[in-house]
Amino acid sequence: MATILMAIMIILLLLGFPMMIPLITASIVGFVMIFDGFDQMSTFIQQMMAGIRPASLIAVPMFILAADIMTRGQSADRLINMVMAFIGHVKGGLAISTAASCTLFGAVSGSTQATVVAVGSPLRPKMLKSGYSDSFTLALIINASDIAFLIPPSIGMIIYGVVSKTSIAELFIAGIGPGLLILVMFSLYCLYYAHRNKVPTEPKASWSERVTATRRALWPLFFPVIIVGGIYGGIFSPTEAAAVCVLYAFLLEFFIFRSLKLAQIYQIAKSTGLITAVVFILVAVGNGFSWVLSFAQVPQTILEAVGVNEAGPIGVMIAISVAFFIACMFVDPIVVILVLTPIFAPAIAATGLDPVLVGVLVTLQVAIGSATPPFGCDIFTAIAIFKRPYMDVIRGTPPFIFMLIVAAGLIIAFPQIALFLRDMAFAD
């Protein structure tokens, strides 16, 4: 059965159908194979609706809306200018600033694609003018944006938390350590690249310019404070934090910075509504598909076939890493989380793995796959935004993908990289 459903999905994807069509077609075919007809179709529809019923999912459109407001406003530019003022003059400083800006904006938006747009649009021309190759620049932007998937708020972590019934607040806190680890690794590589290619440095900002840039960035810097501080302090839940972020972004861009006009609310809301509709359709159909697979005991069959059930905790984490990484090279990250998480749930429970650790690992692998050829979604975002050919966008990605894989290996070998802050924040 699993082979038939996979073949249906691959064929429809190759024919150019959007992801929701192959997913729902395979789900219906699987349902018919199980129940010998459409008589119980209402059960399948109920499972789809159950997928979008959790209240935690309300945070998704709110974070999307907040990110859309900030991308159109001045928050991203102010954060970038602050980072540039402090490290733009060191060797490789512009590249390091790009990676750091992706991390900061990730702490604001939670979306890799929003980060590609917000950070890549202003910094790519500066990097090209400073002597960086276009392949290196594009690869840095799309891979550094992966940090946005780990640094809270993370839409990927929200989806994983809902599917696996794991604390979203704990996932958010646990993503900070791995995110900062990747930033350090990318920064060291940028430093090496700049020295090897003799990239000139930027003019050094004066302390008065640094003070001015910091002062201008203070308001946007309150976003991570609101999210992490509010959740850590028990002031509000992740969903409530999302609502506060929307209000804060609105007040910031419309009334404090005056970068947007009230007339633009309609376009911003429309954009958010379209993205949210796609996300929720994928979540609903993905939940229905997962239910079909579980009902047919496909997860157990697959895990037994590849020997995961007999593997220890390390073996299960490696299997999860490989499966999610490969899947996200071809399929939308949200769909991969929805489909594969229930498949590995029995093995995770049997080995006693910390679900928060698994969630961080899954989120990292999803982020890596999103920027990995052939069909990583961030690659096509970069193609659309920067108007560059496919090969130009992916040419410089191998070193960054290697570093991300190393980071995943370090998290498997040293789980406290992810769990240290979680254990501190949620200690009994």
Side-chain angles (χ1 to χ4, degrees), residues 198-242:
K198 297 180 173 57
V199 177
T201 58
E202 296 290 307
K204 185 176 181 179
S206 66
W207 277 105
S208 63
E209 290 173 327
R210 291 175 179 176
V211 170
T212 300
T214 302
R215 182 168 47 81
R216 285 174 53 82
L218 281 178
W219 286 108
L221 284 173
F222 273 108
F223 277 102
V225 173
I226 290 171
I227 296 166
V228 178
I231 295 172
Y232 175 80
I235 300 172
F236 38 64
S237 68
T239 303
E240 292 165 342

Side-chain angles (χ1 to χ4, degrees), residues 116-187:
V116 169
V117 176
V119 177
S121 297
L123 284 183
R124 177 173 169 264
K126 292 182 180 180
M127 290 187 66
L128 295 178
K129 186 177 179 180
S130 296
Y132 292 92
S133 70
D134 201 15
S135 59
F136 172 83
T137 300
L138 291 169
L140 173 64
I141 291 169
I142 64 174
N143 284 279
S145 69
D146 291 345
I147 303 173
F149 234 56
L150 289 165
I151 298 290
S154 166
I155 293 174
M157 284 183 173
I158 294 172
I159 301 297
Y160 175 84
V162 169
V163 174
S164 64
K165 296 178 174 59
T166 303
S167 167
I168 295 173
E170 292 188 31
L171 287 168
F172 277 5
I173 301 299
I176 296 174
L180 295 178
L181 171 65
I182 294 169
L183 173 60
V184 171
M185 295 173 70
F186 281 9
S187 298

